[in-house]
Amino acid sequence: MQLRLQIFTGAPVIEYSALLNAAFTALTGKGDPEVLAILPDQIVTSDLKGESSSQLPLFPASLVPGNSVIKTLQTGETFIDCAVLVARESTADCVFVALLPIGQLRLSPAYRDRFGRLGIEEATVQSLLADHSIHASTFAFLVTNQFLSSQRSGSWRSKFFPNCSAVVIEHELDQQLGPVPHRFSTVLLSKERGPIRFFKIPESIGSDNCARVFSDLSRLIRQPAGRSQYGYVHQGHLEERYPACYDFYSEETEKLRQEVSELGAKVQLQEVADVLLGYRPCRPEREVDRGQNGVLAISARDITVDGKVDLSEVRTVDRTQVQHYLQVGDICIRQIYKHDAGFVLAVYAGDGRQITFSSNVIVVRPHSQLLPAQRDVLVAFLRSPMAQRLGSTKQQVSSIGDFLRLTPHVLREFPVPIADKEILTAMDNLAAAREAFQEWLSEIDEAANAIVKESSAAGSRRVILESGQLARQRFRAAKQVEELGYRISTQFPHPLAYVWRDVQVS
């Protein structure tokens, strides 16, 4: 399978090479800048278990920017120094590097001594921009979204990006990279220090509007602050533990964060609840004597989409160290959830057994000082579309396609509302109304069965007629609350209510 390097936003297609040429022209001020394209000779992918899976042919060279000199380099640790050497020998105005990804599973001790925890992708970017003997001042890197969202490189991003001028262009490719789907972004970096700009290609763009997209990108690159139609200039700092993406820093997301306060005081979840992990496997060579056997544990599949914890098929695990057991009232959340569906969670009820939970489940244990109604609001909020949108902006995991991985640190810092007095009063009113309605329904069911329960037909007739009349009166009284006239005459101040009543009578 060949990787076709084109941007798909719905049915229309925006050619990636044309997009890059527009960006390079805006950054260099030249109409047709010369580009050095550095491409890896193979694309090495990994499955979710971290095992080497397959190698794919490189994407077609015809899709790199126009007026390019193409250099193909071997993947692995040597890619970094070779890329720097090739860039030094070039007189091109711009350098394009495809990092898709070019890493390997195990890095040598010499590499670790030189670059620490950085992956080959981050080390390549850093080495190219730090070399002052390279003629080019503008660089473009095609990277997976994992490059922009992984916690491992978060500290590097927050320190490196502000020391140069960065443009992050978010887009998708139309094919998978190996057996696991990936999403891609392009990071444009200049050696001059400046703000970071985020640009997101709209999903519904038409092929006849490509020129408008390119023009908007060029305008965004030139403007020092503010917004364009499809992007904006971010003046603040980058959050170390969160992705460098359009949605996380956008005005829309900031408004969404502030909207949480409409339900009560906005706090981080860790201020009102503990975020817990269940058990971890013991390492046989060190902890075999400390582990427990025959421990009952739920997994993510036991948390159903209808909000229940299914305990019918709880599995048994051995050689584990239990960190926490479940308690009644714990909020159990699947760690992996669909991007468009939101968190999958349930409140644990228990069945008397001592049960823990696996690593694909995160448990939130509300503090004891939270009132029952505040707990209900917390659970409802985590299930809401608002929480889904906030969760989607906090991280992107390209290695699992359309799914996202909820991590404990994201959950601890998640903004949640603590229901205020008005919300608590409204929740109490709803609970009281529910009890009253259930009692009335019970009376209606009892009256409907009067023929069976009463000893005489006359008694059955009397009960049915009286209950039917009472039910009609209750129904009419309830419907009146929805009428404007009734609300004015009963809830407004007396002068207004009197005038309204006088109008009705006249």
Side-chain angles (χ1 to χ4, degrees), residues 148-205:
L148 298 171
S149 61
S150 68
Q151 296 181 45
R152 175 182 53 80
S153 59
S155 176
W156 174 82
R157 287 196 306 270
S158 64
K159 295 176 182 177
F160 184 81
F161 279 26
N163 291 321
C164 51
S165 180
V167 182
V168 177
I169 304 174
E170 296 184 19
H171 54 79
E172 298 178 9
L173 299 185
D174 62 325
Q175 294 191 16
Q176 293 187 165
L177 181 61
V180 180
H182 286 263
R183 293 187 178 184
F184 295 88
S185 297
T186 298
V187 180
L188 297 162
L189 296 170
S190 301
K191 291 184 177 180
E192 296 80 9
R193 188 168 183 172
I196 183 171
R197 295 169 171 85
F198 292 101
F199 189 84
K200 189 172 185 178
I201 298 174
E203 296 180 358
S204 57
I205 193 68

Side-chain angles (χ1 to χ4, degrees), residues 174-317:
D174 62 325
Q175 294 191 16
Q176 293 187 165
L177 181 61
V180 180
H182 286 263
R183 293 187 178 184
F184 295 88
S185 297
T186 298
V187 180
L188 297 162
L189 296 170
S190 301
K191 291 184 177 180
E192 296 80 9
R193 188 168 183 172
I196 183 171
R197 295 169 171 85
F198 292 101
F199 189 84
K200 189 172 185 178
I201 298 174
E203 296 180 358
S204 57
I205 193 68
S207 57
D208 54 338
N209 292 325
C210 292
R212 187 175 66 185
V213 174
F214 299 156
S215 176
D216 190 70
L217 175 59
S218 301
R219 182 168 57 255
L220 177 67
I221 291 174
R222 294 189 181 99
Q223 67 187 52
R227 294 183 58 90
S228 67
Q229 185 174 1
Y230 303 122
Y232 60 91
V233 181
H234 176 62
Q235 300 286 0
H237 69 283
L238 292 181
E239 295 286 346
E240 178 177 327
R241 305 177 70 178
Y242 292 105
C245 65
Y246 178 97
D247 288 337
F248 185 79
Y249 296 99
S250 67
E251 291 181 2
E252 294 77 11
T253 301
E254 183 57 31
K255 291 179 181 178
L256 188 62
R257 295 189 186 104
Q258 299 304 322
E259 193 177 333
V260 176
S261 302
E262 295 293 330
L263 296 173
K266 184 180 70 171
V267 299
Q268 291 186 349
L269 183 60
Q270 61 188 351
E271 298 179 33
V272 295
D274 296 323
V275 179
L276 308 175
L277 299 178
Y279 72 85
R280 65 180 183 85
C282 293
R283 291 176 292 183
E285 68 276 9
R286 295 184 182 180
E287 302 174 344
V288 64
D289 296 332
R290 299 173 58 188
Q292 297 177 245
N293 294 325
V295 177
L296 297 177
I298 65 168
S299 62
R301 66 182 180 183
D302 298 317
I303 304 174
T304 63
V305 293
D306 58 351
K308 298 179 181 179
V309 180
D310 184 5
L311 301 179
S312 61
E313 297 182 2
V314 180
R315 65 191 184 100
T316 302
V317 293

Side-chain angles (χ1 to χ4, degrees), residues 242 256 260 266-272 275 337 343 378 381-395 406-417:
Y242 292 105
L256 188 62
V260 176
K266 184 180 70 171
V267 299
Q268 291 186 349
L269 183 60
Q270 61 188 351
E271 298 179 33
V272 295
V275 179
Y337 64 98
F343 301 147
L378 176 61
F381 175 77
L382 291 175
R383 286 190 174 125
S384 69
M386 187 186 305
Q388 171 196 335
R389 286 179 285 165
L390 285 172
S392 298
T393 64
K394 281 184 172 291
Q395 54 183 304
L406 181 65
T407 60
H409 95 266
V410 166
L411 202 53
R412 289 188 185 99
E413 299 176 2
F414 204 81
V416 297

Side-chain angles (χ1 to χ4, degrees), residues 289-453:
D289 296 332
R290 299 173 58 188
Q292 297 177 245
N293 294 325
V295 177
L296 297 177
I298 65 168
S299 62
R301 66 182 180 183
D302 298 317
I303 304 174
T304 63
V305 293
D306 58 351
K308 298 179 181 179
V309 180
D310 184 5
L311 301 179
S312 61
E313 297 182 2
V314 180
R315 65 191 184 100
T316 302
V317 293
D318 296 326
R319 295 190 300 277
T320 61
Q321 282 191 339
V322 177
Q323 297 171 286
H324 295 94
Y325 286 103
L326 288 169
Q327 297 180 6
V328 175
D330 284 348
I331 305 172
C332 305
I333 306 177
R334 288 186 188 179
Q335 191 181 60
I336 305 297
Y337 64 98
K338 289 197 69 173
H339 180 274
D340 57 352
F343 301 147
V344 180
L345 59 93
V347 178
Y348 181 71
D351 60 0
R353 293 180 292 175
Q354 201 172 39
I355 301 175
T356 184
F357 47 99
S358 64
S359 58
N360 56 18
V361 174
I362 303 176
V363 165
V364 174
R365 184 169 294 168
H367 293 166
S368 58
Q369 63 264 29
L370 283 184
L371 299 175
Q374 290 175 326
R375 295 188 181 205
D376 293 341
V377 171
L378 176 61
V379 173
F381 175 77
L382 291 175
R383 286 190 174 125
S384 69
M386 187 186 305
Q388 171 196 335
R389 286 179 285 165
L390 285 172
S392 298
T393 64
K394 281 184 172 291
Q395 54 183 304
Q396 305 167 351
V397 182
S398 59
S399 60
I400 49 179
D402 290 332
F403 290 83
L404 297 177
R405 178 180 288 110
L406 181 65
T407 60
H409 95 266
V410 166
L411 202 53
R412 289 188 185 99
E413 299 176 2
F414 204 81
V416 297
I418 301 303
D420 55 27
K421 186 176 180 179
E422 291 183 351
I423 294 292
L424 293 178
T425 301
M427 295 290 288
D428 291 340
N429 292 339
L430 289 173
R434 183 189 297 110
E435 293 179 2
F437 292 156
Q438 289 174 346
E439 182 179 349
W440 293 349
L441 286 174
S442 298
E443 293 178 5
I444 291 174
D445 292 338
E446 187 175 350
N449 293 324
I451 295 177
V452 177
K453 293 184 177 181

